[in-house]
């Protein structure tokens, strides 16, 4: 007797996608045409941010959510990057702070006004330099305030404490390009995928990968996300035949995947999105018009296909609205903001569970993560772990849990790591002081405390300062690893016998500040167009000389700082001269071609003259 077909029961079986009406979309936004595989879009309860196409640097627009319809082509933008913007992320705990990563190797933080921007925003809050190649991805810690993770094409991941404008740790556990980064539920671990076909689970406090496994064997980009508190990873990638596939991994044993399924044959990268409240995974491919969704369960086969949203218009990326801002009255469990690849349109799409009743449904909307941080940056650095603070979706204000706190190892020192790194430079915009020509008065966020090392040890310092102490030194002294170029420059300086033309500040007047940056007038970069200046903070390893060893020969002090400055100035001059030479060579070739043309014309004219003379005869 044949067995009857049993249909699996699920309350999400009939989830469907409903796009917004045209007058509720955002039209005429020049969406970037960059081929990078990030989302190019992010959204929160107040604003929508979209990376735009621009020349001469990178920019993105920030729109209030209620500013729908056709957008002015000359709408003000957030612009300040020298290269294309590759990723943007809103701070999960502050709706007005957004971070941007760029091709110019920098990370910038922007403070968006409450009612949006009225003119081009060029004054950033923080400008952080540590990567020496393009910065490709950013992720905020989901529970700890002011902890930002970045990765770039220099194969390294950098942890930032944006409250102190400092790098906490530099993680160098990758040997190839990183394709994705994703935090787990409580922000204690993050996962990465890379071009070497490895999946890594990294403990940022230890500073190394605690789990490493072979992932998808295809050569194209792969992505990974943590599946909430299930202890599993969800990854997407390609096989040897370039078929797209997804896989589920148990973090406790990643020797092989729990399940790996081929999806289809296409070239677009699959971007995964996970909803921890409903345990639904959404898959959207770059260049696809559909969005697939799967329900995750505890037992095999661990993932069940539900349905897909179909559209004839391909997508360039998707922004995801936080769950606490979805509409429970419509049974909206997820809202995407689709960037159309073929036209300048951002289209919201609601994923809805059909229900007849209009009452609040507890089974569809359990308590979700709030915009209140569970930990401060210092608590997270000291080794504390805590899940997100949950609130009710019905009113958005009632706190329904008290997160349990666990402890792991505090942030470990990485001896010798920063010695091999380039100088980490951070700029912070501050208000100009009342007296011209003097150093500006810093805001509370970055106001330095000028104390001697003995006084500093006696005072109670935050954990972030204690952990960053190994990275910091006075701005006057920067240690460089000796290279042939620097040694040759030193020899060139010592061989000159001309008189010194630049006075040197006596060592006794220098301010020793091993943690906070110096703010002498040489480090103040005035801005004549605005009422702000930028204070430069340089972080490096400890100096290998004392102030008494500072000398001056031929007008240039023999500190590593001055040598490095002169070295890079000469590199810029050489680069400029090479460009001028190439332009002159091009001009010479043009003139030679013009001379050949003139000679040919002269010869042809002479021949025609001779022929006309013979005819007259």
């Amino acid at each position: 007797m044949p067995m009857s077909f049993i249909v699996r029961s699920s309350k999400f079986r009939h989830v469907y996608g409903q796009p917004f009406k045209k007058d509720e979309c955002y039209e005429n936004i020049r969406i970037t045409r960059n081929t990078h595989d990030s989302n190019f879009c992010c959204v929160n309860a107040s604003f929508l941010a979209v990376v735009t196409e621009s020349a001469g640097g990178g920019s993105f627009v920030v729109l209030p959510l209620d500013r729908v319809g056709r957008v002015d082509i000359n709408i003000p933008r957030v612009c300040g990057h020298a290269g294309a913007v590759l990723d943007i992320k809103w701070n999960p705990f502050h709706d007005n702070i957004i971070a941007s990563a760029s091709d110019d190797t920098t990370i910038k933080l922007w403070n968006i006004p409450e009612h949006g921007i009225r003119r081009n925003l060029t004054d950033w809050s923080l400008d952080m330099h540590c990567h020496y190649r393009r910065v490709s991805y950013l992720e905020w810690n989901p529970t700890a305030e002011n902890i930002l993770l970045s990765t770039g094409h220099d194969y390294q991941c950098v942890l930032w404490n944006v409250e102190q404008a400092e790098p906490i740790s530099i993680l160098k556990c990758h040997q190839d390009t990183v394709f994705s980064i994703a935090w787990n539920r409580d922000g204690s671990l993050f996962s990465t995928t890379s071009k070497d076909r490895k999946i890594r689970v990294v403990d940022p406090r230890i500073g190394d990968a605690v789990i490493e496994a072979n992932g998808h064997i295809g050569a194209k980009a792969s992505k990974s996300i943590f599946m909430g508190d299930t202890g599993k990873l969800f990854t997407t990638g390609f096989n040897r035949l370039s078929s797209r596939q997804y896989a589920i991994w148990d973090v406790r044993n990643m020797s092989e995947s729990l399940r790996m399924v081929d999806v289809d044959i296409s070239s677009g990268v699959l971007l995964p999105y996970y909803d921890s409240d409903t345990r639904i995974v959404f898959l959207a491919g770059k260049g696809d018009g559909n969005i697939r969704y799967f329900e995750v369960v505890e037992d095999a086969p661990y993932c069940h296909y539900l349905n897909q949203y179909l559209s004839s218009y391909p997508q360039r990326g998707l922004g995801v609205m936080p769950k606490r801002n979805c509409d429970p009255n419509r049974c909206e469990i997820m809202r995407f903001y689709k960037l159309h690849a073929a036209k300048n349109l951002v289209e919201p799409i609601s994923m809805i569970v059909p229900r007849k009743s209009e009452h609040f449904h507890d089974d569809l909307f359990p308590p979700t993560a709030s915009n209140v941080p569970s930990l401060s940056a210092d608590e997270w650095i000291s080794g504390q772990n805590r899940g997100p603070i949950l609130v009710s979706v019905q009113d958005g204000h009632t706190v329904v849990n008290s997160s349990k706190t666990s402890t792991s190892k505090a942030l470990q020192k990485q001896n010798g790591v920063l010695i091999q790194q380039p100088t980490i430079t951070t700029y912070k915009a501050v208000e100009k002081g009342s007296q011209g020509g003097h150093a500006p008065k810093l805001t509370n966020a970055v106001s330095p405390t000028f104390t001697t090392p003995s006084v500093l040890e006696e005072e109670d310092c935050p954990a972030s300062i204690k952990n960053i102490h190994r990275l910091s030194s006075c701005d006057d002294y920067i240690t460089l690893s000796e290279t042939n170029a620097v040694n040759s420059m030193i020899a060139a300086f010592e061989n000159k016998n001309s008189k010194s033309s630049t006075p040197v500040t006596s060592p006794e007047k220098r301010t020793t500040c091993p943690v906070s940056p110096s703010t002498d007038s040489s480090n103040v970069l005035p801005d004549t167009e605005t009422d702000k200046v930028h204070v430069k903070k340089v972080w490096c390893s400890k100096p290998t000389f004392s102030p008494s060893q500072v000398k001056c020969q031929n007008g240039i002090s023999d500190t590593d700082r001055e040598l490095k400055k002169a070295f890079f100035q000469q590199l810029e001059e050489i680069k400029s001269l090479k460009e001028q030479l190439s332009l002159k060579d091009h001009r010479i070739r043009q003139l030679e071609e013009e001379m050949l043309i003139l000679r040919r014309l002269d010869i042809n004219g002479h021949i025609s003259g001779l022929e006309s003379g013979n005819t007259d005869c």
Side-chain angles (χ1 to χ4, degrees):
M1 180 178 178
M3 296 180 62
S4 60
F5 181 74
I6 301 176
V7 178
R8 191 182 66 89
S9 176
S10 173
K11 57 189 173 184
F12 302 110
R13 173 173 296 279
H14 302 290
V15 173
Y16 67 94
Q18 180 177 349
F20 281 34
K21 297 179 180 179
K22 186 177 180 180
D23 57 355
E24 296 177 334
C25 298
Y26 305 85
E27 297 184 84
N28 201 32
I29 298 178
R30 296 184 59 195
I31 302 171
T32 180
R33 298 293 183 260
N34 197 306
T35 57
H36 186 57
D37 55 4
S38 66
N39 289 309
F40 299 123
C41 174
C42 60
V43 63
N44 61 14
S46 304
F47 300 104
L48 168 69
V50 180
V51 180
T52 57
E53 189 73 9
S54 60
S59 65
F60 58 95
V61 297
V62 177
L63 298 172
L65 288 182
D66 56 359
R67 190 174 176 179
V68 295
R70 188 173 181 84
V71 177
D72 185 5
I73 191 65
N74 296 319
I75 184 173
R77 291 175 170 83
V78 179
C79 47
H81 284 287
V85 176
L86 301 180
D87 197 12
I88 51 177
K89 287 291 189 301
W90 288 107
N91 189 321
F93 310 117
H94 302 280
D95 287 347
N96 297 87
I97 297 177
I98 187 171
S100 60
S102 172
D103 195 84
D104 61 4
T105 73
T106 67
I107 301 168
K108 289 181 170 61
L109 261 65
W110 310 85
N111 192 358
I112 306 300
E114 191 69 29
H115 302 288
I117 56 178
R118 303 297 177 86
R119 59 180 180 179
N120 286 346
L121 181 61
T122 58
D123 295 329
W124 56 79
S125 298
L126 286 177
D127 185 16
M128 299 181 289
H129 298 238
C130 182
H131 296 276
Y132 52 87
R133 294 187 66 184
R134 66 173 61 178
V135 186
S136 49
Y137 302 103
L138 297 173
E139 285 294 340
W140 292 92
N141 190 292
T143 59
E145 189 175 19
N146 296 321
I147 298 296
L148 179 65
L149 175 65
S150 66
T151 186
H153 283 221
D154 50 7
Y155 311 155
Q156 63 185 13
C157 299
V158 181
L159 276 168
W160 300 89
N161 180 0
V162 300
E163 181 182 7
Q164 302 289 340
E166 298 168 347
I168 302 173
S169 179
I170 298 176
L171 311 176
K172 304 181 69 175
C173 54
H174 298 87
Q175 305 301 322
D176 214 327
T177 305
V178 180
F179 285 146
S180 69
I181 51 175
W183 290 98
N184 66 346
R185 179 76 164 167
D186 61 0
S188 59
L189 303 170
F190 67 89
S191 65
T192 66
T193 56
S194 65
K195 197 174 181 179
D196 59 4
R197 301 176 178 86
K198 297 285 187 180
I199 302 172
R200 295 175 175 86
V201 177
V202 182
D203 188 335
R205 299 185 181 96
I206 296 177
D208 199 0
V210 293
I211 303 172
E212 184 174 311
N214 294 320
H216 301 271
I217 59 179
K220 296 182 181 179
S222 59
K223 303 290 181 180
S224 70
I225 54 172
F226 275 95
M227 298 168 65
D229 54 0
T230 62
K232 296 182 178 64
L233 271 176
F234 189 94
T235 62
T236 62
F238 295 81
N239 61 12
R240 292 187 187 276
L241 302 178
S242 294
S243 295
R244 298 192 295 190
Q245 55 186 196
Y246 71 84
I248 299 176
W249 309 76
D250 188 349
V251 176
R252 294 165 295 184
N253 181 14
M254 293 185 62
S255 58
E256 61 178 351
S257 62
L258 297 176
R259 189 187 185 195
M260 186 172 292
V261 179
D262 291 343
V263 179
D264 58 7
I265 299 176
S266 183
S267 60
V269 177
L270 282 175
L271 303 177
Y273 307 89
Y274 182 71
D275 182 9
S276 299
D277 301 331
T278 58
R279 294 194 174 185
I280 295 180
V281 175
F282 298 85
L283 290 184
K286 284 266 189 177
D288 294 354
N290 60 341
I291 302 175
R292 299 177 177 88
Y293 31 98
F294 305 79
E295 184 176 6
V296 177
V297 294
E298 292 292 340
D299 302 324
Y302 305 104
C303 190
H304 295 279
Y305 173 78
L306 292 174
N307 206 340
Q308 62 178 333
Y309 164 76
L310 295 173
S311 172
S312 57
Y313 299 104
Q315 58 218 5
R316 188 171 295 275
L318 293 174
V320 180
M321 173 68 75
K323 187 64 174 293
R324 62 181 179 274
N325 302 118
C326 291
D327 188 0
N329 297 325
R330 299 173 57 205
C331 296
E332 182 185 43
I333 60 172
M334 183 73 81
R335 187 190 305 169
F336 294 103
Y337 285 76
K338 175 180 176 179
L339 305 185
H340 282 244
K343 50 185 177 180
N344 298 327
L345 177 67
V346 180
E347 179 186 32
I349 300 172
S350 295
M351 310 306 295
I352 297 174
V353 179
R355 292 284 177 92
K356 292 182 179 180
S357 175
E358 295 182 357
H359 297 292
F360 181 75
H361 301 279
D362 295 332
D363 58 335
L364 298 181
F365 298 98
T368 189
S370 68
N371 59 350
V372 179
S374 302
L375 298 168
S376 66
D378 297 329
E379 291 173 337
W380 185 87
I381 292 171
S382 65
Q384 296 186 35
N385 298 324
R386 187 179 300 162
I389 295 177
L390 305 182
V391 296
S392 172
V393 180
Q394 187 172 12
D395 56 11
H397 300 289
T398 305
V399 179
V400 297
N401 79 320
S402 56
S403 300
K404 295 182 179 179
T405 303
S406 61
T407 305
S408 61
K409 291 184 178 180
L411 192 68
Q412 301 296 309
K413 291 186 178 182
Q414 302 172 18
N415 297 328
V417 170
L418 286 185
I419 297 176
Q420 305 172 7
Q421 298 296 324
T423 302
I424 303 171
T425 309
T426 304
Y427 298 95
K428 179 147 184 102
V430 295
E431 297 296 333
K432 186 178 294 186
S434 58
Q435 298 178 358
H438 296 280
K441 182 180 179 181
L442 297 178
T443 59
N444 294 332
V446 292
S447 56
T449 305
F450 296 98
T451 56
T452 61
S454 59
V455 176
L456 188 64
E457 293 175 357
E458 296 175 358
E459 296 179 356
D460 293 330
C461 296
S464 61
I465 296 297
K466 294 178 181 178
N467 282 281
I468 208 65
H469 179 73
R470 59 188 173 83
L471 305 175
S472 307
S473 68
C474 182
D475 187 25
D476 291 332
Y477 316 120
I478 298 178
T479 301
L480 285 177
S481 58
E482 294 186 359
T483 61
N484 294 332
V486 175
N487 291 334
S488 61
M489 186 179 296
I490 294 173
F493 290 156
E494 291 178 350
N495 291 334
K496 294 183 181 179
N497 295 321
S498 59
K499 293 184 178 180
S500 174
S501 59
T502 304
V504 178
T505 306
S506 61
E508 292 76 15
K509 294 183 180 181
R510 294 182 181 269
T511 303
T512 303
C513 180
V515 175
S516 301
S518 69
T519 54
D520 55 282
S521 59
S522 64
N523 288 335
V524 177
L525 308 178
D527 189 354
T528 57
E529 298 180 0
T530 62
D531 57 348
K532 295 186 176 183
V533 296
H534 297 281
V535 176
K536 182 179 180 182
K537 300 165 62 178
V538 178
W539 310 98
C540 61
S541 54
K542 294 184 178 181
T544 57
F545 58 89
S546 62
S548 60
Q549 296 174 335
V550 177
K551 299 178 182 179
C552 180
Q553 294 183 4
N554 305 321
I556 301 178
S557 66
D558 275 349
T559 64
D560 284 341
R561 176 177 179 270
E562 294 298 335
L563 291 175
K564 182 183 178 184
K565 184 176 179 181
F567 172 66
F568 284 109
Q569 285 179 352
Q570 288 194 359
L571 287 182
E572 291 295 330
E573 292 175 1
I574 293 172
K575 182 179 178 181
S576 177
L577 290 174
K578 287 182 178 179
E579 292 177 355
Q580 294 178 16
L581 285 174
S582 63
L583 292 175
K584 289 181 179 179
D585 292 339
H586 181 67
R587 181 59 179 163
I588 289 171
R589 287 193 295 270
Q590 287 181 343
L591 292 174
E592 289 177 348
E593 292 175 357
E594 292 177 1
M595 289 177 63
L596 289 174
I597 294 172
L598 291 175
R599 287 177 182 174
R600 291 172 184 171
L601 292 176
D602 291 341
I603 292 172
N604 293 335
H606 182 66
I607 293 173
S608 61
L610 292 176
E611 291 178 351
S612 62
N614 294 333
T615 304
D616 293 339
C617 294

